[in-house]
């Protein structure tokens, strides 16, 4: 599952498995799941019978058409194989990922703790939901669970691909652990939360392999359209036979089958399942596990995205943004003193203060003999005592004011103005003093993550509304919302407020996505159409969501939505290409079938095809080879560009609609130029 995993489209192992799978899937009971290709397979069996029993359906000169029947039979067989191969390649890529996951699934020993305090050694496969186990440094966590006691570093690289260990502890939102990960320090007492064979890793493997994949609503709708078109064209071809007889034209059964296969949307029919599997595959390779294909598809339809402020839009730590000196103080002195108090301050605030001071040109260094004063909840300040007796402090405004008054100093008239200014900006003011003189205020702010503004602009360009939820007061929330560029915000937000917001948007017909990691997020994750839970979060959150981010990156919801959009665009683009393909096939086959009885139809032979047989076979061959040619595009997906639905439709119509019309004209003509001499050699050149 590493992000550094092999990105090759197809490996020799996948190729061998796909070739085998293409033949296995020829089973009619399996082919019936794909009605379009099932019709092609039936056509293959009929032409196969004609190859052995000429004249079975009363064709005139049936014996002389045996070679033609055999050629049509072979092409139809190859068409079905190519369609099966496309699906088998997609499944093979998923199974390759599942194989790497299975390596982490070992039946390890577990230290089972009994109610009487005793401990026994059991196999991890014997553990049941509710069992309590002890895991110490160096041991593999035997199953999914929640930490009920202890704190430890856990190596989750087997699942997430990230080498850096993460901290897991009892209580809070970081108590969930996954079976197959390793404790690298200290110990954990874990309560197992899954039954054997139903762990998070088991579900991942089943989903990645495609064993649990169900067709999505959009896929079912498109499949229904394809079946409808197939039935319509089947009726057209069947009724064409008596019309041909009435017109004095003898049409071989093989030609009618070839016409039907070229008319029905075989290209998208052969690739539809592969596109769906590949969509799941792209999400999984992005280290996100989708609990269903429906979840991935829903991402592409998202209208509203609800995001937490802390950790998603902002870093979550208040960082130094500026220095405001008070009247009578020098800004350089303020910066110098702020830097000196932060030299040994390991908090995010202290580190960012020192970093900002260095960027502004300060070069203050630690003096030998200095005594650093740590922050405490009682004093609400920290600082440093220099060897020359100078005492420098930074901390909360009221704490510093009291400290200065106790040392005989005065409060600058504009101090409260600066403090209120910082607070109105949604920041936190830290006041700095040197001995009994206040120098100014450090402006700490919850910093918006780089690139968030641009990402929200991309979402806005495709019509997705972004709403920020935060527990901050309305003033702070408004400041962050404006800086980040979100479309709306909810301040002083409680868990029930998130659910109410989601329901409100859904009542307006919107598809809603949100992220979360805590137990209090679980109801909202379950209510949302797309709920992305963090792998570091609680079991309740992961069970409520329909997607789990193995990297626990809340901002990944933005990329997941784009992957969903890409899935829908890929399906739509290839459907457009497939239907557009048929237009050129009409110009190849219809004139070829009737030009002897109706010479006027020859005017439609705009490609100048050599003969009626070469025209039909060229169209049939092109119909077969276009499927494997489009497999890489179906697997990789059509490149996604943020734009409005109207522009996107226009762009796809130009590229895949017009391209779908032009490509067959060129392809069929080239194939005709190749096979026409060969047909002449065997007596089918007229």
């Amino acid at each position: 599952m590493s992000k550094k995993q092999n990105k090759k489209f197809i490996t020799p192992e996948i190729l061998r498995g796909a070739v085998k799978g293409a033949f296995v899937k020829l089973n009619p009971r399996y082919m019936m799941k794909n009605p379009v290709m099932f019709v092609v397979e039936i056509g293959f069996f009929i032409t196969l019978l004609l190859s052995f029993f000429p004249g079975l359906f009363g064709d005139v000169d049936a014996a002389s058409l045996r070679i033609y029947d055999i050629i049509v039979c072979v092409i139809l067989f190859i068409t079905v194989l190519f369609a099966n191969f496309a699906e088998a390649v997609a499944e093979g890529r998923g199974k390759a990922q599942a194989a790497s996951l299975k390596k982490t699934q070992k039946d390890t020993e577990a230290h089972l703790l009994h109610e009487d305090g005793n401990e026994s050694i059991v196999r991890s496969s014997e553990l049941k939901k509710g069992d309590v186990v002890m895991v110490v440094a160096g041991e593999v966590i035997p199953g999914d669970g929640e930490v009920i006691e202890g704190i430890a570093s856990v190596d989750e690289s087997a699942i997430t691909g990230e080498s850096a260990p993460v901290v897991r502890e009892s209580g809070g939102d970081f108590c969930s652990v996954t079976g197959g990960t390793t404790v690298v320090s200290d110990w954990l007492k874990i309560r197992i939360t899954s039954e054997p064979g139903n762990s998070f890793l088991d579900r991942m493997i089943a989903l990645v392999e495609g064993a649990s994949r169900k067709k999505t609503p959009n896929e079912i709708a498109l499949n229904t359209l394809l079946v409808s078109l197939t039935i319509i064209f089947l009726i057209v071809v069947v009724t064409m036979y008596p019309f041909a007889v009435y017109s004095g034209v003898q049409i071989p059964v093989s030609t009618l089958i070839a016409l039907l296969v070229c008319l029905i949307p075989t290209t998208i029919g052969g690739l539809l399942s592969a596109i769906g599997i590949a969509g799941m595959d792209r999400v999984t390779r992005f280290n996100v596990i989708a609990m269903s294909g429906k979840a991935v598809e829903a991402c592409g339809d998202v209208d509203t995205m609800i995001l937490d402020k802390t950790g998603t839009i902002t870093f979550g730590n208040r960082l130094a943004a500026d220095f405001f000196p008070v009247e009578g103080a020098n800004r350089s002195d303020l910066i110098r003193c702020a830097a000196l108090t932060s030299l040994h301050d390991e908090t995010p605030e202290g580190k960012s203060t020192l970093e900002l001071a260095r960027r502004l040109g300060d070069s203050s260094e630690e003096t030998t003999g200095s005594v650093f004063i740590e922050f405490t909840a009682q004093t609400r300040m920290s600082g440093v005592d220099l060897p020359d007796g100078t005492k420098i402090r930074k901390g909360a405004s009221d704490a510093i004011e009291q400290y200065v008054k106790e040392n005989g100093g005065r409060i600058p008239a504009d101090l409260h103005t600066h403090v209120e200014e910082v607070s109105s900006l949604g920041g936190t003011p830290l006041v700095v003093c040197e001995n009994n003189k206040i120098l100014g205020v450090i402006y700490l702010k919850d910093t918006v993550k780089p690139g968030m503004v641009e990402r929200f602009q991309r979402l806005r360009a495709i019509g997705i509304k972004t709403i920020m939820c935060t527990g901050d007061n309305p003033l702070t929330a408004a400041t962050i919302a404006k800086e980040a560029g979100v479309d709306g915000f909810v301040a002083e937000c409680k868990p029930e407020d998130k659910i109410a917001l989601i329901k409100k948007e859904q009542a307006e017909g919107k598809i809603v996505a949100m992220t979360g990691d805590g137990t209090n997020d679980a109801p909202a994750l379950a209510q949302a159409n797309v709920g992305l839970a963090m792998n570091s979060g609680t079991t309740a959150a992961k069970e409520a969501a329909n997607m789990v981010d193995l990297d626990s990156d809340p901002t990944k919801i933005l990329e997941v939505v784009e992957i969903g959009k890409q899935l829908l665009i890929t399906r739509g683009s290839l459907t457009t290409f497939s239907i557009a393909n048929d237009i050129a096939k009409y110009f190849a086959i219809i004139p070829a079938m009737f030009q002897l009885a109706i010479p006027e139809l020859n005017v439609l032979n705009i490609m100048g095809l050599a003969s009626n047989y070469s025209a039909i076979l060229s169209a049939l061959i092109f119909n077969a080879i276009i499927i494997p040619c489009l497999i890489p595009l179906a697997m990789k997906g059509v490149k996604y560009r943020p734009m409005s639905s109207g522009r996107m439709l226009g762009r796809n119509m130009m590229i895949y609609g017009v391209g779908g019309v032009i490509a067959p004209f060129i392809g069929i003509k080239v194939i005709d130029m190749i096979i026409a001499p060969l047909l002449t050699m065997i007596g089918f050149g007229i």
Side-chain angles (χ1 to χ4, degrees):
M1 296 298 297
S2 170
K3 292 178 181 179
K4 295 181 177 64
Q5 62 189 300
N6 189 358
K7 299 287 186 179
K8 288 180 65 177
F9 165 63
I10 187 168
T11 63
E13 293 79 11
I14 294 176
L15 179 61
R16 286 192 293 268
V19 171
K20 179 181 177 182
F23 283 92
V24 171
K25 292 176 185 292
L26 289 172
N27 186 329
R29 287 181 298 179
Y30 184 88
M31 291 298 299
M32 288 177 70
K33 298 177 182 178
N34 188 341
V36 176
M37 298 314 300
F38 183 56
V39 169
V40 180
E41 187 174 46
I42 292 175
F44 156 69
F45 284 124
I46 294 174
T47 53
L48 183 64
L49 285 174
L50 290 172
S51 300
F52 287 101
F53 306 103
L56 183 65
F57 297 103
D59 285 342
V60 178
D61 298 327
S64 62
L65 291 172
R66 172 174 284 183
I67 295 177
Y68 173 69
D69 291 337
I70 292 173
I71 295 173
V72 172
C73 176
V74 171
I75 297 172
L76 293 180
F77 180 69
I78 293 174
T79 302
V80 177
L81 273 185
F82 281 160
N84 289 346
F85 179 75
E87 185 174 351
V89 167
E91 291 177 349
R93 283 160 63 90
K95 289 177 180 177
Q97 292 186 67
S100 65
L101 287 173
K102 286 178 179 177
K103 293 177 183 178
T104 69
Q105 211 176 27
K106 303 172 184 176
D107 193 11
T108 58
E109 290 185 344
H111 299 272
L112 177 63
L113 302 180
H114 301 280
E115 292 182 1
D116 58 9
N118 293 324
E119 179 182 306
S120 61
I121 305 297
V122 299
R123 308 300 300 178
S124 60
S125 56
E126 299 173 12
L127 293 173
K128 302 183 296 297
K129 186 176 182 179
D131 286 344
V132 177
V133 297
M134 174 69 76
V135 186
V136 300
E139 293 182 348
V140 175
I141 295 174
D144 293 357
E146 289 189 341
V147 179
I148 58 176
E149 191 177 332
I151 179 171
S153 295
V154 178
D155 179 5
E156 296 186 340
S157 59
I159 306 297
T160 67
E162 297 295 335
S163 58
V166 295
V167 175
R168 293 288 177 262
E169 58 185 321
S170 59
D173 294 340
F174 296 94
C175 62
S176 176
V177 292
T178 305
T181 57
T182 306
V183 175
V184 294
S185 73
D186 303 292
W187 58 271
L188 295 173
K189 188 182 288 187
I190 300 167
R191 179 182 288 112
I192 301 299
T193 57
S194 64
E195 297 291 351
N198 194 37
S199 68
F200 183 58
L201 195 58
D202 289 315
R203 297 202 305 270
M204 284 170 58
I205 291 170
L207 288 163
V208 170
E209 281 183 324
S212 300
R213 193 185 100 84
K214 296 180 181 179
K215 289 186 177 180
T216 63
N218 282 349
E219 195 172 347
I220 292 172
L222 180 56
N223 203 53
T224 302
L225 173 63
L226 299 183
V227 171
S228 301
L229 290 174
T230 301
I231 293 173
I232 291 170
F233 285 126
L234 180 61
I235 294 172
V236 169
V237 170
V238 170
T239 56
M240 187 176 290
Y241 187 79
F243 277 108
V245 173
Y246 177 78
S247 303
V249 179
Q250 180 64 40
I251 303 178
V253 172
S254 295
T255 297
L256 288 173
I257 292 172
L259 173 63
L260 175 62
V261 170
C262 287
L263 289 180
I264 64 178
T266 51
T267 304
I268 187 61
L271 294 172
L272 184 58
S273 183
I275 294 169
I277 296 172
M280 292 279 287
D281 175 70
R282 281 195 294 277
V283 171
T284 306
R285 286 173 181 267
F286 203 62
N287 266 13
V288 172
I289 297 299
M291 298 307 175
S292 68
K294 183 178 179 180
V296 180
E297 191 171 87
C299 288
D301 289 326
V302 165
D303 301 298
T304 303
M305 189 180 298
I306 298 173
L307 307 110
D308 279 326
K309 184 204 74 165
T310 306
T312 304
I313 296 174
T314 66
F315 284 106
N317 296 314
R318 295 186 180 272
L319 308 178
D322 206 349
F323 298 101
F324 299 131
V326 295
E327 184 180 355
N330 190 289
R331 191 168 190 263
S332 60
D333 288 337
L334 170 61
I335 296 173
R336 173 181 57 81
C337 289
L340 288 172
T341 61
S342 304
L343 289 173
H344 282 254
D345 187 347
E346 295 302 319
T347 64
E349 294 87 350
K351 290 180 178 178
S352 65
T353 298
L354 183 60
E355 181 183 348
L356 179 60
R358 294 288 189 253
R359 288 206 309 268
L360 295 175
D362 180 78
S363 58
S364 302
E365 298 292 342
E366 179 182 350
T367 305
T368 303
S370 297
V371 178
F372 289 89
I373 313 299
E374 292 188 3
F375 175 88
T376 65
Q378 290 75 28
T379 63
R380 296 168 62 216
M381 67 175 76
S382 61
V384 60
D385 292 344
L386 302 179
D388 61 4
T390 301
K391 298 180 184 295
I392 304 173
R393 297 290 185 269
K394 70 176 180 184
S397 174
D398 55 347
I400 296 296
E401 286 182 35
Q402 183 179 348
Y403 176 82
V404 169
K405 289 177 181 178
E406 289 174 353
N407 287 276
R410 69 175 186 86
I411 308 303
D414 61 340
L415 175 62
H416 290 169
T417 302
H418 288 301
V419 169
E420 290 172 3
E421 180 184 354
V422 170
S423 298
S424 67
L425 292 172
T428 299
L430 280 185
V431 179
V432 179
C433 70
E434 185 176 21
N435 294 321
N436 63 356
K437 180 184 179 182
I438 293 179
L439 300 176
V441 177
I442 304 173
Y443 170 26
L444 300 179
K445 62 176 293 189
D446 195 356
T447 308
V448 173
K449 292 182 178 179
M452 294 303 291
V453 175
E454 291 76 13
R455 293 164 89 175
F456 288 137
Q457 286 176 345
R458 282 162 52 193
L459 291 173
R460 195 174 297 110
I462 56 176
I464 295 178
K465 180 171 70 174
T466 52
I467 301 176
M468 180 186 78
C469 290
T470 176
D472 289 337
N473 62 68
L475 190 59
T476 301
T479 302
I480 296 295
K482 182 179 180 181
E483 185 177 348
V486 294
D487 298 311
F489 67 91
V490 178
E492 299 175 345
C493 185
K494 299 182 289 293
E496 53 268 30
D497 295 331
K498 292 181 182 178
I499 298 176
L501 177 60
I502 293 171
K503 288 182 176 179
K504 176 178 176 292
E505 292 291 321
Q506 290 173 332
E508 297 174 2
K510 306 289 182 63
I511 303 296
V512 183
M514 76 158 288
T515 63
D517 59 1
T519 300
N520 62 346
D521 291 324
L525 287 169
Q527 180 65 40
N529 303 90
V530 178
L532 179 66
M534 303 298 103
N535 189 42
S536 61
T538 62
T539 301
K542 289 192 280 188
E543 289 180 348
N546 49 24
M547 286 187 165
V548 178
D549 175 22
L550 300 180
D551 296 328
S552 300
D553 177 7
T555 64
K556 196 178 286 185
I557 186 70
L558 304 173
E559 281 80 6
V560 170
V561 166
E562 291 190 348
I563 291 175
K565 290 280 186 186
Q566 185 185 39
L567 169 63
L568 297 182
I569 291 169
T570 300
R571 188 182 294 151
S573 299
L574 291 183
T575 300
T576 302
F577 185 88
S578 175
I579 294 175
N581 259 239
D582 295 337
I583 296 175
K585 297 171 194 171
Y586 303 157
F587 282 99
I589 292 184
I590 300 298
M593 290 174 61
F594 291 98
Q595 64 181 351
L596 294 178
I598 311 175
E600 290 80 6
L601 281 179
N602 197 49
V603 72
L604 296 178
N605 185 18
I606 58 178
M607 286 183 270
L609 302 179
S611 68
N612 55 345
Y613 289 115
S614 70
I616 293 166
L617 293 178
S618 295
L620 204 58
I621 292 171
F622 178 85
N623 191 66
I625 64 176
I626 196 63
I627 295 176
C629 290
L630 291 174
I631 290 177
L633 184 60
M635 297 292 103
K636 186 178 179 182
V638 174
K639 188 174 181 180
Y640 171 75
R641 290 182 174 86
M643 62 180 68
S644 65
S645 300
R647 286 186 59 198
M648 193 179 301
L649 176 63
R651 180 176 181 275
N652 288 342
M653 288 299 293
M654 282 298 299
I655 296 176
Y656 298 98
V658 177
V661 173
I662 295 174
F665 276 97
I666 298 172
I668 291 173
K669 179 61 179 178
V670 170
I671 295 170
D672 179 76
M673 293 170 64
I674 295 172
I675 69 169
L678 299 177
L679 292 176
T680 302
M681 290 173 58
I682 59 176
F684 285 95
I686 57 173

